[in-house]
Amino acid sequence: MYHSVVFALLYFSLTSAQVDSESTVNAVSHVQLSPEPKSLYVRSCQMDQMDPMDPMDPMDPMDPMDPFPCPRPSSLDPNGRSMDVVDETLEHDPRRCHELLINFSQSSSNLVCCAGGAARPVRLCEGCYKYYRVFSTNNTGCEMSILQSDQLQVVFHIASFLQDLWFRAKCQGTALCLFNLYFNPSLKTRSVKVNLFSHGGNSTVCTNCSDQYGNLSNLYTRLEKNLSLCMDLQDAMNITRREWSKTFGCTVPIRDTIPVILVSLFLCFLPAIFYLSSFLHTKQKTRRLIMRESYSRVSTCLVMSRASNAMSRHIVHAVSLEACWRLSCM
Amino acid sequence: MSNVLKKISWSSRDHNAHAGERSPLLPARPQGSPEAVEDDPEVTSQDDKIQNVHPPSSPKEIPHTENLLSLKYESLDYDNCENQLFLEEERKIGPRGFRVVEISRWFICLLIGILTALIACIIDIIIEKFADLKYLVLKDKIDAFTLNGGLSVSLVIWATMNAGIVMLGSILVAFVEPVAAGSGVPQIKCYLNGVKIPHVVRLKTLLVKVLGVIFSVSGGLAVGKEGPMIHSGAVIAAGVSQGRSTTLKRDFKIFEHFRRDTEKRDFVAAGAAAGVSAAFGAPVGGVLFSLEEGASFWNQYLTWRIFFASVISTFTLNFVLSGYHSQFGQLANPGLINFGRFEDKNEAYTWFEIPLFLIIGAIGGISGALFNSINYWLTMFRIRYIHRPLLQVLEAMLVAVVTATISFLMIYFSDDCQPLGEDNVVEYPLQLFCKDGEYNSMATTFFNTPEKSVRSLFHDPPGSYNPTTVGLFCLSYFLLACWTYGLSVSSGIFIPSLLLGAAWGRLIGILLSNISNANWADPGKYALIGAAAQLGGVVRMTLSLTVIIMEATGNVSYGLPIMLVLMTAKWVGDFFIEGLYDIHIKLQSVPFLDWEPPATSHSHIASSDVMSHPVVCFQRIEKVGHVVDLLSDATCNHNGFPVVDEQDGGGSDHFGKLRGIILRSQIIVLLKHKAFIERGKYGMLGYRLTLKDFRDAYPRFPPIQSIHVSQEERECTMDLTPFMNPAPYSIPQDASLNRIFRLFRALGLRHLVVCNSENHVVGLVTRKDLARYRWSEHGLEELLLAQA
């Protein structure tokens, strides 16, 4: 049975300048994912580097190779009711607000649809950016009528859920992600390839691709340190790593057990020697005692004998006096 | 005396005191310059005199035990000496002046709060930077050696790094300022109890403490930086309130009114509170700490001022650290250790878990008692055999090496791999033998500063650790922490205890959730309870610890379980052995007065048993030569001298009628200023002595040997009347030990004169006379006095 494993090697090929600290990432980026396993094309790693980058307009979100196509806006809701019925309670230019509501529901459902498709492996930021852009286009003027006229606040909750999802995937803002690289013309895009290997080439994968894997791993570590990376990249890298070390078994750490045990035995033996030798060779610290003047004992005896005399308890007297003398003569 | 059941016995061998034999008696630390001697009556150069006084067989030498009281320690003067100078000054200041004094008290508390917090910030930031550097270097090395072989080399590198860093800290402590060793909490406890521990609140101590704790924490030892913060706060308070530094020889001429023990003690209490507050983000806990540890002489209006210092301290720390972590003004870092928030629904407890908590408390008590008894034997061994500074440094380095080795072995042989995810942010994920994209979970606990490990044990989601990992960690960390405390490095015990307890608590949580398969057994919650139990079992603090932990978790509803756990831990632990701080206080032979007098002290022991008998007294008009001779006599190491009536020369059983009491320090100031009658009323300086002259000499009064008195001056006389305290506390001969103890403890006395029915002086009770009697399970014990 042909069970193909998709080995997604995100390969950031570096230009001469390499990656320096903050913003100038001279790397990256176009991902080709074939939707059907049958059309996998297997290449050797060496060939990838020579591939010219895909010329495309980075500003066009609606690229023809939309990996997660979602239904186009339609003017019918699932029940077939025409959405053109205007809610008369929407004050303040009701028609426009109603339009906004329709737009919102469509764009959010598109975004949800896309996000679901892009869940595993995570391609949320990259695949659904265009829907998010449509979804998040700000329209003002209808807050009162749409957001604040009931307790349920459907629109608010849908919007905040989607926004939260988007933020948690770090698709927003300064995080480095594939679409950032599309839309930021200041970054020179180079090439990132998705290499698809069949399971068959196990032994060759480790030898052929170890350089690339090493480079990729280093690059990722460096990027991770300086920039925040979006979930797409993190997930791709996680999958890559897992495939690399688990499926292909390419990472083989060298265990060093016997030297480690010997060295640690030696190190743990040192304190024993130390304590033994300091026990044997150091002179024990002694304290010189100061004898209290014995007067207090004598005076105690006097006091006690006086007291017992007064009470004429002679036996007690004798006993305590004897005890006194014994103590004071110590 | 027959009621004293057990006399502490010592080995019967008599050392015939040769000079060579006595050499270990000399303090291991090189003697400071003469002016550094803090009105210390014991001058080692005078040993020959002691020999003359005692027959050669008399000075017995015994190995160090806990049942000794050292002469090194003296009482603080908490009793105002109401002599004529004092009354004059009080009249001069007037009501307006007192208002200024009161305001400056508040101002000092503000300064204490701010400075303590700043010190805490400095320590925290430097340790963070240091640890960051160290762990990154180590991680690189280990990663490289994992790929290419030769991991034993990285072990050696780790061990060497640790040993090197710890060596620096240990050299500072062992050679520069030994009193900065340990957490400093026992010392502050003694200070607040009224014992003057030499050097404990000096600037030099603070510096050594701060540097020492930075080195020992970043050297990877099983120590925390919270205990030393308490000590640092106390030193800052003592320094700021005096308006000068004797170490730097700078006098800012401010706050002169506060240059006496009574005022200083109040500020030290505030400083300790500010330290706790900065360490744990627990202002109320800080106040309660001062109250619990220094409760002997607490006055109520002080509470509010101490709370002020405390809150200022935690706020400043929060402000500065938040600014440092680039969230300026967010105030998200209330303490050095942050337990994180326990607000999750799973982390709330249910009623049926309370019995479980009690069991955990009992386990904490047992584990704490075991910890304490092992540490007790270890400390005893250290005092007896490892008392040379060089050996102490070597020992600290060895502990650092072994700590690194054990950590490395733990990480090496652990096959507990966790996926690198978004859930648990690991700062230095160490892959070692794990698959790519995974990290070794043992490494998160060892490969980190203890504070962060505590937090990850509290808050990592269930399933982050497997039980074997946690169990092994507990065992090894218990031994390491126990071994580490008492080394000559600055080290706190709070964090190691919390970490240890959090580990076994989490283990219990994991086991519970495995057995019951219920979602109420959140391992993080049990980690918190375990941490409280372990800490309670080790230090046995009650009220303040409950509040500290409650404030650090930021969850008041945890109050009940934490209180129950600490209570159980204390009761169970007290059944076996005392708290760690008390053990160390006893091992230092400090005359510490407990909260309560020893039981059965009512009927059996009277003041005539307690008191020191031959009292050295002065007449009101006394010859200078006589005074100097008495003070220089090595056997007369007293600090307080009753002043008696000259007509009544003293009989066979008393020393004359009591008129007042004068302190050694006062006489020394008088001698220094040559305030002799023959030199006219105004002495040599041409002006009358005022209270300021006494304050300027405080707290390091010169020893009598440094004062030169010529032969003619010896013939002069001096009048002690204006300088003595004319109304000393006195007690009748027949008063019980219990009564004396309570009077002493409540008023914070230093000397209590024992008089007979005619008000004749018969004896003098000092702190050491009271602290001699100690209640133990064998009955009432009498301790022995030993030289410093």
Side-chain angles (χ1 to χ4, degrees), chain A residues 213 256 275 284 287 295 300, chain B residues 62-63 151 395 436 609 613:
Chain A
Y213 180 77
D256 210 19
Y275 284 118
Q284 195 180 132
R287 305 292 299 267
Y295 184 90
T300 312
Chain B
I62 61 163
L151 269 173
E395 191 193 12
D436 288 5
D609 300 320
H613 171 65

Side-chain angles (χ1 to χ4, degrees), chain B residues 2-62:
Chain B
S2 53
N3 46 10
V4 176
L5 294 182
K6 187 184 158 209
K7 198 96 175 74
I8 312 302
S9 61
W10 56 78
S11 70
S12 57
R13 58 195 173 124
D14 279 352
H15 291 267
N16 28 355
H18 293 308
E21 290 248 9
R22 284 204 317 274
S23 57
L25 272 177
L26 294 171
R29 186 171 45 81
Q31 283 290 300
S33 48
E35 69 265 32
V37 179
E38 217 163 326
D39 67 335
D40 189 343
E42 279 309 312
V43 182
T44 34
S45 60
Q46 300 252 331
D47 269 5
D48 47 350
K49 278 199 177 172
I50 295 173
Q51 259 185 34
N52 294 342
V53 173
H54 295 288
S57 67
S58 180
K60 305 219 180 205
E61 290 192 13
I62 61 163

Side-chain angles (χ1 to χ4, degrees), chain A residues 167-180:
Chain A
F167 283 127
R168 279 195 298 130
K170 295 189 184 168
C171 299
Q172 191 75 4
T174 55
L176 177 66
C177 204
L178 293 179
F179 72 86
N180 283 5

Side-chain angles (χ1 to χ4, degrees), chain A residues 143-313:
Chain A
E143 286 93 350
M144 279 303 282
S145 53
I146 295 179
L147 292 180
Q148 293 175 8
S149 45
D150 61 274
Q151 276 196 336
L152 200 54
Q153 297 194 321
V154 178
V155 172
F156 171 75
H157 284 296
I158 292 176
S160 65
F161 164 72
L162 286 172
Q163 244 144 22
D164 180 51
L165 190 67
W166 197 255
F167 283 127
R168 279 195 298 130
K170 295 189 184 168
C171 299
Q172 191 75 4
T174 55
L176 177 66
C177 204
L178 293 179
F179 72 86
N180 283 5
L181 301 167
Y182 288 140
F183 299 125
N184 192 343
S186 72
L187 298 172
K188 292 179 207 152
T189 56
R190 283 293 172 267
S191 67
V192 169
K193 290 296 163 193
V194 176
N195 299 299
L196 304 162
F197 296 102
S198 74
H199 203 315
N202 195 350
S203 56
T204 52
V205 168
C206 292
T207 49
N208 290 348
C209 303
S210 66
D211 287 349
Q212 277 94 342
Y213 180 77
N215 286 343
L216 173 65
S217 204
N218 289 342
L219 173 64
Y220 182 79
T221 322
R222 247 180 301 162
L223 288 177
E224 202 180 26
K225 236 179 252 173
N226 300 324
L227 299 163
S228 111
L229 300 177
C230 78
M231 204 52 84
D232 292 17
L233 284 183
Q234 289 187 13
D235 189 63
M237 194 63 210
N238 280 351
I239 294 174
T240 310
R241 281 175 163 166
R242 214 170 303 145
E243 297 284 309
W244 180 260
S245 63
K246 274 206 181 136
T247 316
F248 294 105
C250 291
T251 312
V252 187
I254 303 168
R255 285 185 180 261
D256 210 19
T257 310
I258 292 173
V260 165
I261 289 180
L262 286 180
V263 170
S264 16
L265 274 182
F266 171 72
L267 292 180
C268 292
F269 200 55
L270 290 178
I273 299 172
F274 170 79
Y275 284 118
L276 202 64
S277 69
S278 53
F279 178 71
L280 294 177
H281 297 300
T282 312
K283 198 174 143 37
Q284 195 180 132
K285 177 147 185 159
T286 50
R287 305 292 299 267
R288 189 135 40 114
L289 297 180
I290 292 164
M291 305 311 291
R292 286 171 61 81
E293 304 288 332
S294 58
Y295 184 90
S296 78
R297 298 190 200 291
V298 176
S299 75
T300 312
C301 296
L302 292 178
V303 170
M304 282 167 84
S305 68
R306 242 181 268 150
S308 43
N309 264 333
M311 287 182 276
S312 65
R313 275 150 59 181

Side-chain angles (χ1 to χ4, degrees), chain B residues 134 138 154-162 404 407-408 411 447:
Chain B
K134 186 181 116 180
L138 273 180
S154 59
L155 164 60
V156 174
I157 292 174
W158 190 354
T160 325
M161 267 168 108
N162 272 11
S407 316
F408 188 86
I411 297 173
F447 216 61

